[in-house]
């Protein structure tokens, strides 16, 4: 069992609003200690460092973590570990820690398809990006814990209330509240695969009324939506917008996001209890009530290949990206 930096003496499952528990897995001791130092300076979180594959599994099983930061772990491929974690800990967000100094957007999208919430560099020169990604993800986890305990944040408590509708049901939100937090507070199941970074399709909603009562799309949101295969123009990413006026009417897409090709493969031959949706592009793979056939898996593979092709095209258009980065991606895609 790894050393617990801030201990939980009771050893029991934490209540919803307890401290954030983060597992950091990395076999390179220098990188591991740099990451721990950064994390300890960021917040009062419970950090579990792990440097070995077995230690990681024991820690995950015993620690009830909120977040896994997964670097290079001896005796384990990060993709296999991620796949296994998706099976064993369905809602655990996993951030891939790359030892490369640059993480291009297309690579980010690609690892997202493999089940990672995001990827950040461990390089000391990228520390500010590391901090901002982790802060964002922890912010979403905290919002979710808060929603589970039905208590608004201290800043939100003083803000005026606004009226909105979710799937026809009237509700209220504090002015300036993040739409994702509003959905979670109203018990809407949102996968938020990228941890609220605006880099997946899993928090998208349709705004049927009152688009002007939400903050305008961020650059990240515009980029992500442009890559999605969502046909409706009124889609917004709930993690990227805030409620600023009365009268928003939202529709939540119905269905389940499938985590990976392996997950879909394990469902072949069963009846879809819910519509099955691609986690990056938002495309419907199988309609509710239909039998899940191999053709759905082939469709997902096709969508993934098409997506990777589009990423490669985007890459070849990028004038300043070094050739080294292109080769790196090709090699990784071949793995
Ligand atoms: S949670 Fe991934 S885009 Fe919002």
């Amino acid at each position: 069992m790894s050393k617990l930096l801030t201990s939980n003496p009771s050893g029991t499952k934490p209540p919803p609003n307890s401290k954030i528990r983060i597992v950091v897995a990395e076999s390179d001791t220098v990188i591991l200690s740099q990451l721990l130092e950064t994390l300890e300076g960021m917040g009062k979180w419970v950090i579990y460092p792990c440097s070995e594959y077995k230690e990681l599994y024991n820690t995950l099983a015993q620690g009830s973590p909120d977040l896994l930061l997964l670097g290079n772990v001896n005796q384990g491929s990060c993709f296999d570990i991620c796949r296994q974690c998706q099976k064993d800990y369905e809602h655990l967000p996993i951030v891939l820690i790359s030892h490369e100094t640059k993480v291009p957007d297309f690579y980010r999208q690609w690892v997202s398809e493999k089940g990672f919430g995001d990827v950040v560099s461990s390089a000391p020169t990228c520390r500010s990006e590391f901090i901002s990604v982790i802060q964002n993800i922890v912010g979403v986890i905290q919002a979710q814990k808060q929603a589970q305990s039905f208590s608004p944040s201290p800043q939100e408590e003083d803000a005026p209330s606004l009226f909105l509708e979710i799937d026809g049901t009237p509700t209220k939100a504090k002015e300036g509240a993040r739409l994702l937090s509003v959905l979670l507070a109203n018990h809407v199941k949102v996968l938020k695969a990228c941890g609220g970074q605006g880099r997946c399709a899993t928090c998208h909603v349709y705004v049927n009324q009152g688009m002007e009562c939400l903050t305008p799309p961020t650059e990240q949101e515009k980029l992500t939506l442009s890559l999605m295969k969502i046909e409706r123009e009124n889609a917004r990413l709930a993690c990227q917008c805030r409620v600023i006026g009365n009268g928003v009417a939202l529709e939540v897409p119905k269905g389940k996001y499938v985590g990976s090709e392996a997950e879909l493969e394990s469902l072949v031959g069963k009846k879809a209890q819910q519509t099955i949706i691609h986690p990056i592009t938002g495309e419907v793979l199988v309609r509710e009530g239909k039998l899940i056939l191999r053709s759905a898996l082939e469709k997902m593979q096709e969508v993934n290949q098409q997506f990777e092709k589009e990423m490669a095209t985007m890459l070849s258009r990028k004038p300043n990206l070094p050739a080294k980065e292109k080769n790196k991606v090709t090699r990784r895609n071949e793995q």
Side-chain angles (χ1 to χ4, degrees):
M1 178 75 184
S2 61
K3 187 177 126 224
L4 195 63
L5 295 184
T6 311
S7 66
N8 170 24
S10 70
T12 53
K13 207 173 171 149
N17 263 347
S18 65
K19 282 183 185 168
I20 300 290
R21 300 157 74 89
I22 303 177
V23 174
V24 188
E26 173 58 64
S27 292
D28 183 315
T29 49
V30 175
I31 294 178
L32 180 61
S33 62
Q34 286 169 348
L35 294 175
L36 295 176
E37 202 178 306
T38 306
L39 289 165
E40 283 168 11
M42 286 173 66
K44 290 199 166 89
W45 302 330
V46 184
I47 316 277
Y48 298 85
C50 305
S51 52
E52 295 296 334
Y53 184 75
K54 252 194 172 170
E55 186 183 27
L56 169 62
Y57 267 98
N58 289 339
T59 306
L60 289 174
Q62 294 170 37
S64 306
D66 296 300
L67 174 64
L68 168 61
L69 304 185
L70 182 58
N72 283 356
V73 180
N74 292 344
Q75 297 115 27
S77 131
C78 59
F79 294 110
D80 289 344
I81 295 174
C82 179
R83 232 187 330 265
Q84 191 59 40
C85 286
Q86 282 182 314
K87 273 193 200 150
D88 297 344
Y89 310 99
E90 207 190 334
H91 299 295
L92 175 67
I94 307 171
V95 173
L96 180 64
I97 304 295
S98 162
H99 291 189
E100 307 293 337
T101 47
K102 280 212 172 87
V103 180
D105 275 346
F106 62 87
Y107 181 61
R108 214 180 279 286
Q109 298 283 359
W110 186 69
V111 298
S112 153
E113 191 275 318
K114 302 287 170 204
F116 289 95
D118 206 342
V119 49
V120 278
S121 169
S122 61
T125 49
C126 303
R127 207 52 92 215
S128 58
E129 201 213 334
F130 176 88
I131 291 174
S132 111
V133 167
I134 302 304
Q135 271 171 341
N136 267 338
I137 293 182
V138 168
V140 172
I141 296 168
Q142 276 165 335
Q144 192 170 21
K145 281 173 175 262
Q146 208 156 37
Q148 280 166 358
S149 69
F150 308 110
S151 55
S153 71
Q155 301 92 312
E156 281 182 10
E157 237 161 25
D158 298 335
S161 287
L162 298 172
F163 294 95
L164 70 157
E165 267 183 21
I166 301 173
D167 284 335
T169 305
T171 185
K172 282 188 210 169
K174 291 289 182 182
E175 186 178 5
R178 196 160 19 166
L179 193 54
L180 179 59
S181 309
V182 179
L183 294 174
L184 295 173
N186 282 275
H187 313 294
V188 177
K189 286 201 176 129
V190 187
L191 179 62
K192 48 187 174 3
C194 74
Q197 301 289 302
R199 288 169 178 149
C200 68
T202 59
C203 74
H204 82 275
V205 291
Y206 302 116
V207 182
N208 292 337
Q209 247 180 57
M211 188 66 97
E212 69 288 356
C213 304
L214 296 173
T215 49
T218 59
E219 287 308 311
Q220 180 61 53
E221 181 177 358
K222 283 187 207 161
L223 173 70
T224 303
L225 286 173
S226 72
L227 295 168
M228 302 293 143
K229 300 281 186 278
I230 300 165
E231 278 152 20
R232 290 165 61 175
E233 287 198 346
N234 58 344
R236 291 293 310 265
L237 299 180
C239 67
Q240 298 294 296
C241 53
R242 293 179 183 273
V243 187
I244 51 171
N246 277 309
V248 177
L250 299 175
E251 182 188 332
V252 179
K254 304 291 171 287
K256 170 188 160 56
Y257 290 95
V258 68
S260 61
E261 289 173 13
E263 187 189 340
L264 185 59
E265 190 164 19
S266 71
L267 297 172
V268 168
K270 297 183 183 145
K271 211 179 204 187
Q273 303 297 323
Q274 289 172 288
T275 295
I276 295 181
I277 307 174
H278 192 286
I280 301 180
T281 65
E283 266 180 87
V284 171
L285 299 169
V286 187
R287 297 252 169 227
E288 182 183 347
K290 298 275 178 204
L291 197 63
I292 304 168
L293 302 170
R294 277 225 150 248
S295 56
L297 178 63
E298 283 159 16
K299 183 171 176 189
M300 185 171 185
Q301 287 164 341
E302 208 177 281
V303 171
N304 288 345
Q305 277 163 14
Q306 181 60 28
F307 186 78
E308 282 173 24
K309 228 190 258 170
E310 280 168 26
M311 289 294 110
T313 311
M314 267 179 67
L315 171 65
S316 64
R317 278 198 218 115
K318 285 192 177 199
N320 296 328
L321 200 66
K324 204 170 87 184
E325 296 294 343
K326 297 183 192 178
N327 297 336
K328 204 186 300 163
V329 169
T330 314
R331 277 202 305 275
R332 281 176 171 148
N333 284 348
E334 283 165 356
Q335 280 173 8

